[in-house]
Amino acid sequence: MNIEDKITNAVVAGIKELYGADFDAKNVALQQTRSEFEGQLTVVVFPFLRMSRKGPEQTAEDLGKFLIQNIPDVVGGYNVIKGFLNLQISSACWAGLLQSIVADPDFGTQKPTDESPLVMIEYSSPNTNKPLHLGHVRNNLLGSSLARIVEANGNKVVKTNIVNDRGIHICKSMLAWLRYGNGETPESSGKKGDHLIGDYYVAFDKHYKEEQNELKAQYIAEGMEEEAATEKAKQEAPLIKEAHEMLVKWEQGDPEIRALWRKMNEWVYAGFDETYKMMGVSFDKIYYESDTYLEGKEKVMEGLEKGFFYRREDGSVWADLTGEGLDEKLLLRSDGTSVYMTQDIGTAKLRFQDFPIDKMIYVVGNEQNYHFQVLSILLDKLGFKWGKDLVHFSYGMVELPSGKMKSREGTVVDADDLIEKMIEDAYTVSKDLAKNIDIPEAEAREIARKVGLGALKYFILKVDARKNMLFNPAESIDFNGNTGPFIQYTYARIQSILRKAEGLETTGSDKAYELSDKEISLVQKLNGFAAAVRQAGIDYSPSGIANYCYELTKEYNQFYHDFSILNADDEAARQFRLTLSTAVAQVLSKGMGLLGIEMPERM
């Protein structure tokens, strides 16, 4: 039982004994004592006045004396400020709490059980016509961290991905490769498969624009208005017409087109896997839109038969959501082809068949807020028990100060380029900081990988996901301030202290160590880890964990600055401070681990 629970139970017992009244423990208000008052925990006594029939000060005095008498191992003293009972927790109690933190490998987290709810989290959702970009980086890091946090709160978690592997955008890359590729492969070009296919998507756009310009000039010369000429050129350009013909053949199951589609997609998947591995991102189950869109059409037709949806004169199928304060939503076009909503319904059907889902969380950008509002209603109508309560984990855009780093298309930031640059920058900074330390090259590179990725992940995850953000690579790699490297460096410093302590003689000490206010404050901060994890799970907030890790790191560095550890005045002080340092390192490792960040043993 933790300190808060012991005090709460004793307060309830005190009210019973002192005033003959029953009081629900969940209504006991316990909070951290304000810094200007003496004490660490404060009991708010105003809710007890109707039972005590006394003023707030006298009620607080009654309870203070009761706690001193009944839990002297916890409460060492108290003071009363109006209706607030400020408690001084005994040093022995804090020391015992610290020992329990160090001894508990699962401190702050809960393990899932067979009875735990199953939460499915969807993230990533790439297209197979281009590499992952900076927006995907934020999506993947948020989704992966969220999965860890939800699991740390005692839920079973399934991490899932839906891949956009069909449609006109895929056919554009396929056609460009057939036209201009000369049989090029990832092996022959030395390129990752996703980059290779992305290059052909760009090539298609280049040649398509050239054809549009030629046709537009021709139409204008024939007397057509510029706007009409532009629109007609877009539709009549031979490349786009051929791409649409390829899409029709794909829909019809043409064996040659399907074989090419499978081959090129496999190249892309191999490239994605490399990027996912570097980011430390994984999935338990991957779904593909080429499988789900037909399932969605079937489910929509089922809804049509049941009267949930209706068909218009042109044959298209719609959902009328005006009764829910929304508009009418297209589900099947007049030619019978599906839209994104249809595909999401089909994906939900397959997922519900595969897993007994209790809650579904979609990690998707805030431009899709309305889409998920509609999807929730439609899934509920179609009988998915989690449909009404699905969670759209909506996040904002992320950009770089310059608008881009190195980019193959000139418009987006390539994820691989960004990761490579972060690791290289970390290597340069780390080598400069450690120039007087002999670190083997392989270890230096591994430290740079952890620090570079830690800087990237922390900088993105420390920001409230709902907000748009500016990712500044140079700022993120700083070893001071609210950054990943600052926290990693503190962790590495603690490991260095603990390694040095192994070579010191210990004489043992029977003397009770009286903790300073700073040491008590640090133990309190450690004790708050469980609450931080719990709140992050309630709020779906990786930034809450990042903020906790930063505050704990700052608190420890202030302690490190003010107190000697290895050269403490006596053995009891040294042993306590080493234990305190061990606990801080353990909690930082767990907290940063929830963000997907690895901690280097030295820097």
Side-chain angles (χ1 to χ4, degrees), residues 24 29 31 57 61 65 89 101 112 145 174 182 187 215 224 303 333 414 435 457 550 603:
D24 195 326
Q31 58 196 34
E57 287 86 354
E61 283 287 348
K65 289 173 184 174
I89 309 303
I101 291 172
S145 178
M174 290 164 59
N182 299 314
E187 291 75 23
L215 284 174
M224 192 178 288
R333 298 187 185 95
D414 182 271
K435 55 190 170 188
K457 292 179 180 183
Y550 176 57
M603 287 171 71

Side-chain angles (χ1 to χ4, degrees), residues 573-585:
R574 183 170 72 177
Q575 287 307 315
F576 176 83
R577 291 170 190 172
L578 286 171
T579 304
L580 185 56
S581 299
T582 299
V584 170

Side-chain angles (χ1 to χ4, degrees), residues 410-431:
T411 55
V412 295
V413 182
D414 182 271
D416 292 316
D417 291 339
L418 177 62
I419 291 169
E420 182 183 335
K421 181 75 164 56
M422 292 298 301
I423 293 173
E424 200 53 45
D425 286 353
Y427 177 77
T428 301
V429 173
S430 296
K431 286 288 279 187

Side-chain angles (χ1 to χ4, degrees), residues 236-255:
E236 295 299 321
L239 262 179
I240 197 67
K241 293 176 85 170
E242 196 173 342
H244 279 291
E245 288 168 10
M246 181 180 277
L247 179 58
V248 171
K249 288 181 180 179
W250 184 93
E251 294 265 2
Q252 294 170 344
D254 180 282

Side-chain angles (χ1 to χ4, degrees), residues 14-61:
I15 292 169
K16 178 75 171 174
E17 184 173 320
L18 294 168
Y19 311 125
D22 292 320
F23 194 81
D24 195 326
K26 69 174 185 277
N27 294 323
V28 175
L30 195 62
Q31 58 196 34
Q32 197 161 324
T33 304
R34 286 164 55 177
S35 57
E36 62 265 35
F37 301 127
E38 191 178 351
Q40 293 87 42
L41 292 170
T42 296
V43 180
V44 182
V45 302
F46 294 108
F48 315 142
L49 301 187
R50 62 183 176 82
M51 290 164 284
S52 70
R53 302 183 186 220
K54 297 179 180 180
E57 287 86 354
Q58 187 56 53
T59 303
E61 283 287 348

Side-chain angles (χ1 to χ4, degrees), residues 501-517:
E502 289 174 2
L504 296 177
E505 283 188 33
T506 57
T507 57
S509 175
D510 297 327
K511 178 183 170 186
Y513 178 58
E514 197 63 33
L515 277 60
S516 67
D517 289 343

Side-chain angles (χ1 to χ4, degrees), residues 115-126:
E115 288 72 42
S116 295
L118 177 66
V119 181
M120 179 175 279
I121 303 177
E122 175 196 294
Y123 54 99
S124 200
S125 309

Side-chain angles (χ1 to χ4, degrees), residues 346-567:
T347 308
K349 176 189 172 184
L350 289 178
R351 286 171 173 166
F352 198 69
Q353 287 175 355
D354 293 341
F355 300 95
I357 303 167
D358 294 298
K359 184 171 283 293
M360 182 75 212
I361 302 174
Y362 294 86
V363 181
V364 182
N366 55 18
E367 72 277 5
Q368 295 295 325
N369 285 353
Y370 184 76
H371 175 90
F372 283 98
Q373 192 179 357
V374 171
L375 180 63
S376 176
I377 294 170
L378 295 181
L379 292 178
D380 184 53
K381 284 180 183 291
L382 291 168
F384 295 95
K385 70 173 186 178
W386 47 264
K388 193 173 183 180
D389 298 320
L390 72 79
V391 175
H392 174 206
F393 183 86
S394 173
Y395 64 89
M397 299 285 289
V398 56
E399 295 177 346
L400 289 162
S402 60
K404 62 183 180 181
M405 193 178 280
K406 181 181 174 186
S407 168
R408 291 179 173 80
E409 296 181 38
T411 55
V412 295
V413 182
D414 182 271
D416 292 316
D417 291 339
L418 177 62
I419 291 169
E420 182 183 335
K421 181 75 164 56
M422 292 298 301
I423 293 173
E424 200 53 45
D425 286 353
Y427 177 77
T428 301
V429 173
S430 296
K431 286 288 279 187
D432 187 53
L433 284 173
K435 55 190 170 188
N436 297 322
I437 305 172
D438 184 25
I439 297 179
E441 180 64 13
E443 185 183 353
R445 288 288 175 185
E446 177 61 6
I447 291 171
R449 183 190 67 80
K450 290 179 179 179
V451 173
L453 283 167
L456 172 65
K457 292 179 180 183
Y458 186 86
F459 202 94
I460 285 178
L461 293 174
K462 75 177 182 178
V463 177
D464 182 343
R466 294 166 296 185
K467 296 179 180 177
N468 291 341
M469 68 168 293
L470 197 67
F471 174 63
N472 188 324
E475 207 177 293
S476 73
I477 214 83
D478 196 338
F479 280 70
N480 295 296
N482 191 5
T483 68
F486 171 64
I487 297 170
Q488 289 173 312
Y489 186 73
T490 299
Y491 175 86
R493 168 185 278 168
I494 293 173
Q495 297 309 310
S496 174
I497 292 168
L498 297 178
R499 283 193 295 271
K500 290 174 183 174
E502 289 174 2
L504 296 177
E505 283 188 33
T506 57
T507 57
S509 175
D510 297 327
K511 178 183 170 186
Y513 178 58
E514 197 63 33
L515 277 60
S516 67
D517 289 343
K518 178 65 73 178
E519 289 164 323
I520 290 173
S521 177
L522 195 45
V523 178
Q524 265 192 291
K525 181 65 75 174
L526 285 165
N527 192 41
F529 179 58
V533 173
R534 189 164 55 250
Q535 196 61 48
I538 293 168
D539 299 337
Y540 302 127
S541 175
S543 64
I545 297 296
N547 183 62
Y548 171 83
C549 289
Y550 176 57
E551 292 299 325
L552 176 60
T553 302
K554 278 201 306 181
E555 189 99 21
Y556 180 81
N557 278 305
Q558 289 168 5
F559 158 75
Y560 177 81
H561 179 269
D562 294 343
F563 294 84
S564 176
I565 299 174
L566 296 177
N567 296 315

